[in-house]
Amino acid sequence: MNLSLLIILPLLTALAILPLKASKQVRVVSLVGASMQFILVFILLYFYWNERSSGNTSVMLFENNYPWYAPLHINYHVGVDGISVAMILLTAFVVLAGVLVSWNVEKLSKEFFFLLLLLSLGAYGFFISLDLFTLFFFLEVAVIPKFLLIGIWGSGRKEYSAMKLALMLMTGSALVFVGLLGLYFNTNDGNGQHTFDILQIAQMNIPVSIQKIFFPFAFVGFGIFGALFPFHTWVPDGHSSAPTAASMFLAGISMKLGGYGCLRVATFLMPEAAHQYSWIIIVLASIAILYGAFATMMQTDLKYINAYSSVSHCGFVLLGIGMLTKTAITGAVMQMVSHGLMTALFFASIGMIYDRTHTRQVAQLGGLLKIMPFISTVFVIAGLCSLGLPGFSGFVAEVTVFMGSWQHADNFYRIATIIACASIVVTAVYILRAVGKAIMGPLPLTAEGSPPHLWRGGEVDARWNEKWAAALLIVGIVMIGVAPFWLNDLVTPGTETMMKNIGKVVMLK
Amino acid sequence: MLTEFLYLMKAELMITIIIFILLFLKLGSKEMKAENMLNFINVLLVINLAAGFFNIPTGNLFGDMFRTNELFTLEKNFLNFGTLIISLQSYDWLKNHKHVPEFYILLLSTLLGMFFMISSSNLLMFYLGLELSTIPLAALCNFDLHQRRSSEAAFKMIMSSAFSSGLLLFGISLLYGSTGTLDFHELTLQLNDNSLQIFSLILLIAGFGFKISAVPFHLWTADVYEGSPVAVTSYLSVVSKGAILFVIVSVFYNVFTPVANSWYNMIFLISVATMIIGNLFALRQQNMKRFLAFSSIAQVGFILVGLTAQSTEGSSSVIYFILIYIFSNLGAFGVISVVSAITGKETMDDYRGFYKTNPLLTWVLAISLFSLAGIPPLAGFFGKFFLLFAGAGKGNYSLIVIAALNMVVSLYYYLKVIKAMFMDANENPIEKIHSHWQPKIAMGICVGGILITGIASGAYNYIHSLLK
């Protein structure tokens, strides 16, 4: 299986829509492209299982390695392990759902889908990269389309949010950049040559003093993408101003770029420093979890509710990484997948509600279940998944993180775990309150005593494309929730490789 | 002897021949129509560019005053290429201008001067080339004949370049005094870091600083850029700057290796100041030409990061970046030049709502600006990455952190233009622009270059192999 197909396919789709005129053609071509991505990713999954079950235990599968900038030892090196496959799977789900949800975008639809596909290209490329230069390249590819998506198609204070997001993410990538250069110039492959190759660097012993300098750059840089407290402020503004599909993308995939980078680059390549700094990561993650949850309680706008709850949920990812145990890291990866699907579903349903009611204020909504039962059900499912109801993916992922964190016998780690657990209660409060007010209860009536005009008219409930998008994401969530073992089995070999690097430090202690 | 002379000075002779042809055209009794004249000149420039890629000469002339090799020829080709693009882009402006041949005679004279400068192997020859490349430029700045600020620009240009030439000459004479030679090879042997030589190095760097508008020698830049015709502004900011940087990187770099430490410290300070000041001023600009002027000052700051590296990677990244800079900056100037020639609008507010009326031009400008900002997959990303990469090889990460954060600041003002074009509403936006096919071709080449040069690693690898 040639992994470069994952980059070529979105690129070809994006190029194919450029000459098209009618927005209907654009939509159809994008949908076909996204569906092909979806199928391709399942083929990848199939091949991956085959290889693994036939006893192939190499760290990365389907590797391709070509020299790119040979004088600088920069290679185009791709390959996947279980963690990357899980993230690629998530991307395929969210991209397809995002294209479906955006079916009715009329304003500049060609540009819209072009940028959406460019984003998916960046995400795939990032997850399959095994060379730090390639990885950084794809990380930045995914920034500017977000700026344009939010700024052109967004709502509310869109220009402000778009600018804030672009500048904060670029600051993040500037820090990552310094971290990567620092790593590069301190590698030595035995012949005095430096390398950007992740697998090679993992085999080398970077001096601890060097790691201590460059780990913060890489971790904080990726952390900005992954909503690390206190650099999370782009999240609420960016998510709430973005158009539906872009919100799904931002929360579903883009924030995962950060988490994946923290894991694959910062922690995996600089394990000693990760150990030294792990207490800081845990403190910050715990603050993010609790602060995010409480901040959500104060929000009145549905998108802000989900955006702040994303800060809280992404805190679990960083907490899992900071704990540095096998179970916790597996949990962190599962939380990334779970949160990606769940939050995409949440944003999709909020987008559908907003399309029909033209408001996202909880106080102005009510009784939606009566007039749009499908959308309301989707909203409730997303909410329940978010608060960690067993049977949905959120529960599985969070429990895994907690179990992993509890493995530390130290009081410090256990207190952090308890704090994180406590946030679930707060989550239940804000989710149930939003559901109770917006979905249940009476319909708010206008002065004439009839339901607001905008809410009626032809079809109020979900259209076919929205139903498909929601169904797709719900299938993903339930599949993880009911049968978590397949995701666990997929991710575990990847985390075991990581633990070899991280574990050798623990042994030394 | 004669054949050797003809062969080695091929690039210079081609330019000279074109200058003579133009001179005779001007002298001829019948006035040619401006359109025909422009087509004819552009054909000549294309031939000139194409000729540069064949039969690349290597050797010395005039008792080692003049030398050429594959690297120098490549640099000359880059400059030829930039000139051709500018010539194509200024079609709409020049076709209504009375003095087309004079414009090109002056333009090509400066180009000739740059070629001599690049090929020089002696300080005297270098100075000759430098003067030939600056004095006609001042006349060019005055080429909007009815505009008062154009004359002002020319005056500022001539004053500042005279001053900087004075500094350079003083530096050269001190250097001669302390080493007793003007020849580059012997100079390298004689340099030993004594204080007189360091002082002359400071003067030389100040002189160069004026030409590439590095802070604190940048004060003339914005006014001259704003006042000059767009074609001249783009020539100043791309070709003329590029030529000086080529000379620094492929000539002086090697000459001053014995005093590398002092060199490093000076370039380091200038680089940091240039990035920061250039960015801070660019944040506040409203006029697009002034805006690009300050952004190009900031770009020079990044280029200087590559110059601190003192390695093959550093030199090749600088030369590579200039190629990309030609594409990106000329792409941006191309749009501004067409808009300014047809509507006369030049401020950022005029560009609000540009996407509604001119989607293609907007994308050209957007891609060029993104490339200048260093966004992948565009070439600018690779250029900036390699510059900072080379700088980091020296081991001074404070410079890299400053540069990386400055890239974020610069992104802000590029995004401001993008925001104006794509997102802001405007009651009377710039109307649909119908430009001639020649500027369109030029923009197409720029966008193509931006899209390809980075992803395809051939250009960088070739430059790197030449420097080894």
Side-chain angles (χ1 to χ4, degrees):
Chain A
M1 164 108 202
N2 191 348
L3 286 175
S4 304
L5 283 176
L6 283 173
I7 302 172
I8 295 168
L9 189 60
L11 184 67
L12 286 183
T13 322
L15 292 180
I17 59 176
L18 280 185
L20 300 178
K21 288 258 168 10
S23 59
K24 192 172 177 194
Q25 292 169 331
V26 172
R27 291 196 291 246
V28 172
V29 173
S30 323
L31 181 61
V32 171
S35 317
M36 278 164 70
Q37 286 178 23
F38 194 70
I39 295 167
L40 186 69
V41 169
F42 273 92
I43 295 173
L44 169 71
L45 187 66
Y46 172 75
F47 276 113
Y48 183 84
W49 280 127
N50 254 2
E51 284 285 317
R52 281 286 185 236
S53 55
S54 68
N56 189 340
T57 52
S58 50
V59 176
M60 293 286 166
L61 294 183
F62 314 122
E63 276 187 66
N64 266 329
N65 198 349
Y66 309 107
W68 192 2
Y69 281 89
L72 307 179
H73 312 289
I74 290 172
N75 292 349
Y76 170 79
H77 187 186
V78 293
V80 285
D81 66 352
I83 300 176
S84 344
V85 172
M87 305 311 292
I88 291 168
L89 206 59
L90 164 70
T91 312
F93 269 92
V94 176
V95 172
L96 186 54
V99 169
L100 281 168
V101 164
S102 323
W103 200 254
N104 295 317
V105 171
E106 288 298 335
K107 181 185 173 192
L108 303 175
S109 62
K110 187 176 12 176
E111 288 83 343
F112 185 85
F113 285 107
F114 180 80
L115 294 172
L116 216 55
L117 289 163
L118 207 59
L119 267 180
S120 72
L121 184 155
Y124 285 127
F126 181 83
F127 290 133
I128 61 174
S129 294
L130 289 181
D131 181 277
L132 291 175
F133 179 83
T134 328
L135 185 116
F136 182 68
F137 174 83
F138 285 114
L139 178 72
E140 285 210 353
V141 164
V143 172
I144 290 303
K146 288 176 211 158
F147 170 79
L148 292 172
L149 279 172
I150 296 175
I152 300 177
W153 292 273
S155 55
R157 289 192 303 166
K158 54 183 183 171
E159 281 109 0
Y160 166 79
S161 310
M163 198 63 101
K164 186 169 177 181
L165 172 134
L167 293 180
M168 285 194 73
L169 293 189
M170 283 309 271
T171 313
S173 62
L175 295 177
V176 169
F177 175 65
V178 176
L180 298 191
L181 286 184
L183 256 180
Y184 176 86
F185 283 105
N186 289 295
T187 57
N188 187 344
D189 67 350
N191 308 323
Q193 301 290 3
H194 304 309
T195 180
F196 270 126
D197 196 298
I198 291 180
L199 296 180
Q200 283 185 36
I201 297 176
Q203 303 297 324
M204 295 169 186
N205 290 317
I206 311 279
V208 180
S209 56
I210 299 292
Q211 291 191 17
K212 280 174 76 174
I213 299 171
F214 293 108
F215 179 85
F217 280 105
F219 196 90
V220 172
F222 282 118
I224 294 178
F225 280 81
L228 172 73
F229 184 86
F231 308 107
H232 65 283
T233 51
W234 63 273
V235 177
D237 290 314
H239 286 31
S240 49
S241 302
T244 308
S247 303
M248 291 165 68
F249 236 95
L250 271 175
I253 302 172
S254 191
M255 289 169 78
K256 308 303 173 289
L257 300 182
Y260 181 84
C262 285
L263 191 59
R264 174 77 79 205
V265 177
T267 314
F268 183 46
L269 299 183
M270 296 180 266
E272 277 96 348
H275 266 280
Q276 304 240 358
Y277 290 116
S278 83
W279 66 275
I280 303 180
I281 301 171
I282 290 169
V283 168
L284 290 180
S286 307
I287 294 176
I289 291 171
L290 212 58
Y291 161 83
F294 279 111
T296 317
M297 283 184 65
M298 301 304 296
Q299 301 305 317
T300 56
D301 182 310
L302 281 178
K303 271 197 163 179
Y304 270 101
I305 289 181
N306 194 24
Y308 273 106
S309 87
S310 285
V311 173
S312 167
H313 283 115
C314 282
F316 287 117
V317 176
L318 295 172
L319 184 76
I321 296 173
M323 287 294 175
L324 295 172
T325 64
K326 186 182 141 198
T327 321
I329 290 180
T330 311
V333 176
M334 289 170 84
Q335 170 73 358
M336 281 199 261
V337 178
S338 148
H339 177 255
L341 293 171
M342 178 264 287
T343 201
L345 184 67
F346 224 143
F347 274 122
S349 65
I350 293 170
M352 295 176 208
I353 292 173
Y354 179 72
D355 266 356
R356 289 159 177 82
T357 62
H358 297 275
T359 177
R360 293 191 307 244
Q361 294 297 325
V362 178
Q364 293 171 16
L365 295 167
L368 293 181
L369 195 59
K370 295 191 181 71
I371 48 170
M372 34 182 116
F374 186 88
I375 298 175
S376 309
T377 315
V378 171
F379 185 85
V380 174
I381 289 176
L384 293 180
C385 178
S386 171
L387 61 79
L389 194 74
F392 295 116
S393 61
F395 172 75
V396 177
E398 282 166 17
V399 164
T400 318
V401 172
F402 293 145
M403 284 188 337
S405 332
W406 201 258
Q407 285 172 355
H408 284 283
D410 199 331
N411 274 341
F412 168 72
Y413 295 100
R414 297 209 158 163
I415 291 171
T417 317
I418 292 169
I419 290 174
C421 285
S423 78
I424 291 184
V425 182
V426 187
T427 312
V429 172
Y430 63 73
I431 293 289
L432 293 180
R433 213 164 55 177
V435 168
K437 179 69 187 70
I439 305 292
M440 316 291 180
L443 278 169
L445 302 178
T446 54
E448 295 88 48
S450 59
H453 177 67
L454 282 169
W455 295 27
R456 288 180 290 147
E459 27 174 358
V460 178
D461 208 0
R463 284 177 285 267
W464 66 270
N465 54 316
E466 294 165 337
K467 283 184 180 164
W468 273 99
L472 198 66
L473 294 169
I474 291 174
V475 166
I477 291 173
V478 175
M479 261 166 58
I480 299 173
V482 178
F485 49 83
W486 68 268
L487 184 62
N488 195 25
D489 288 355
L490 185 66
V491 173
T492 309
T495 38
E496 270 166 3
T497 328
M498 301 233 155
M499 286 316 293
K500 269 185 208 149
N501 245 23
I502 299 164
K504 79 183 174 203
V505 186
V506 181
M507 293 301 215
L508 287 176
K509 275 187 172 175
Chain B
M1 178 64 205
L2 182 65
T3 48
E4 196 193 6
F5 165 74
L6 287 177
Y7 176 57
L8 290 181
M9 293 191 70
K10 198 176 59 151
E12 289 75 11
L13 288 174
M14 287 286 291
I15 301 282
T16 320
I17 290 170
I18 298 177
I19 293 177
F20 278 136
I21 293 176
L22 293 177
L23 202 60
F24 288 126
L25 277 182
K26 184 70 188 174
L27 290 176
S29 54
K30 242 171 117 186
E31 277 284 314
M32 251 174 116
K33 264 177 74 185
E35 278 94 340
N36 297 340
M37 177 78 92
L38 282 168
N39 289 336
F40 178 62
I41 293 171
N42 285 336
V43 169
L44 287 181
L45 288 177
V46 171
I47 295 170
N48 174 40
L49 175 66
F53 288 99
F54 301 104
N55 290 330
I56 296 164
T58 314
N60 299 334
L61 268 182
F62 312 132
D64 271 3
M65 284 285 236
F66 178 95
R67 59 181 173 160
T68 181
N69 59 30
E70 210 173 331
L71 177 66
F72 294 152
T73 311
L74 182 76
E75 291 171 352
K76 288 173 192 171
N77 286 340
F78 284 171
L79 299 182
N80 266 334
F81 174 73
T83 313
L84 172 67
I85 298 278
I86 291 168
S87 164
L88 290 173
Q89 280 174 350
S90 40
Y91 187 92
D92 286 311
W93 171 64
L94 279 174
K95 76 176 180 210
N96 300 323
H97 205 289
K98 284 198 204 74
H99 304 283
V100 177
E102 285 92 330
F103 177 81
Y104 279 99
I105 290 173
L106 289 169
L107 194 75
L108 293 175
S109 306
T110 65
L111 194 62
L112 190 62
M114 289 167 199
F115 283 8
F116 278 118
M117 203 159 71
I118 289 173
S119 277
S120 65
S121 180
N122 185 303
L123 278 171
L124 215 55
M125 188 71 174
F126 161 75
Y127 185 73
L128 198 74
L130 184 78
E131 285 305 286
L132 181 55
S133 74
T134 36
I135 293 172
L137 261 182
L140 280 173
C141 290
N142 198 10
F143 236 71
D144 256 345
L145 296 173
H146 306 292
Q147 297 264 11
R148 206 166 237 221
R149 43 185 202 148
S150 189
S151 321
E152 184 193 322
F155 187 71
K156 279 189 174 144
M157 177 79 195
I158 194 90
M159 290 311 284
S160 66
S161 48
F163 186 63
S164 69
S165 299
L167 286 179
L168 266 174
L169 265 185
F170 190 28
I172 290 173
S173 57
L174 286 181
L175 209 54
Y176 183 67
S178 80
T179 61
T181 178
L182 288 171
D183 186 78
F184 286 155
H185 294 292
E186 290 175 33
L187 209 57
T188 317
L189 301 175
Q190 302 286 337
L191 285 175
N192 55 9
D193 229 351
N194 73 27
S195 50
L196 186 60
Q197 287 172 3
I198 299 300
F199 183 57
S200 62
L201 184 63
I202 292 174
L203 288 173
L204 281 178
I205 288 186
F208 289 134
F210 266 105
K211 306 285 181 196
I212 59 174
S213 57
V215 175
F217 316 108
H218 66 290
L219 294 164
W220 59 279
T221 318
D223 290 338
V224 171
Y225 279 23
E226 192 186 1
S228 313
V230 188
V232 180
T233 308
S234 47
Y235 190 78
L236 269 172
S237 82
V238 178
V239 179
S240 144
K241 244 181 218 180
I244 303 276
L245 284 164
F246 280 148
V247 174
I248 295 177
V249 88
S250 53
V251 179
F252 285 93
Y253 218 57
N254 304 326
V255 174
F256 287 112
T257 32
V259 289
N261 231 349
S262 330
W263 167 275
Y264 175 80
N265 292 337
M266 284 182 229
I267 300 284
F268 175 88
L269 287 178
I270 294 178
S271 161
V272 171
T274 308
M275 282 187 284
I276 293 175
I277 306 275
N279 272 336
L280 290 184
F281 278 93
L283 287 177
R284 300 172 47 87
Q285 299 309 318
Q286 273 301 312
N287 181 294
M288 289 296 275
K289 275 153 76 182
R290 273 186 96 86
F291 161 75
L292 279 178
F294 279 107
S295 98
S296 78
I297 291 176
Q299 301 281 349
V300 166
F302 292 112
I303 295 176
L304 291 179
V305 175
L307 274 181
T308 61
Q310 298 169 326
S311 59
T312 317
E313 279 74 32
S315 316
S316 39
S317 69
V318 171
I319 296 174
Y320 177 67
F321 188 83
I322 292 169
L323 171 66
I324 288 162
Y325 185 63
I326 290 176
F327 287 129
S328 319
N329 224 19
L330 288 187
F333 269 118
V335 176
I336 292 169
S337 151
V338 167
V339 170
S340 151
I342 292 175
T343 65
K345 292 182 174 174
E346 279 185 1
T347 69
M348 213 179 275
D349 284 342
D350 294 329
Y351 279 82
R352 284 185 299 159
F354 195 47
Y355 190 61
K356 286 225 169 58
T357 48
N358 295 289
L360 271 180
L361 281 180
T362 311
W363 276 117
V364 174
L365 187 52
I367 288 176
S368 308
L369 292 181
F370 281 142
S371 177
L372 286 173
I375 304 293
L378 307 174
F381 167 78
F382 293 87
K384 287 243 173 94
F385 189 99
F386 294 149
L387 284 174
L388 302 198
F389 176 89
K394 187 84 180 159
N396 188 345
Y397 288 94
S398 58
L399 180 61
I400 306 306
V401 173
I402 294 170
L405 292 179
N406 264 299
M407 278 179 69
V408 180
V409 178
S410 73
L411 181 71
Y412 171 68
Y413 54 75
Y414 292 123
L415 286 184
K416 254 173 52 177
V417 182
I418 304 288
K419 170 175 152 313
M421 294 193 299
F422 281 98
M423 299 165 200
D424 289 351
N426 192 355
E427 278 167 18
N428 47 353
I430 297 168
E431 66 269 29
K432 178 95 187 116
I433 284 171
H434 299 282
S435 64
H436 192 258
W437 60 268
Q438 290 187 6
K440 282 183 193 161
I441 292 250
M443 285 179 224
I445 294 172
C446 287
V447 171
I450 291 172
L451 291 176
I452 292 166
T453 332
I455 304 264
S457 55
Y460 182 86
N461 292 346
Y462 177 63
I463 294 169
H464 194 274
S465 72
L466 287 185
L467 279 159
K468 252 191 182 151

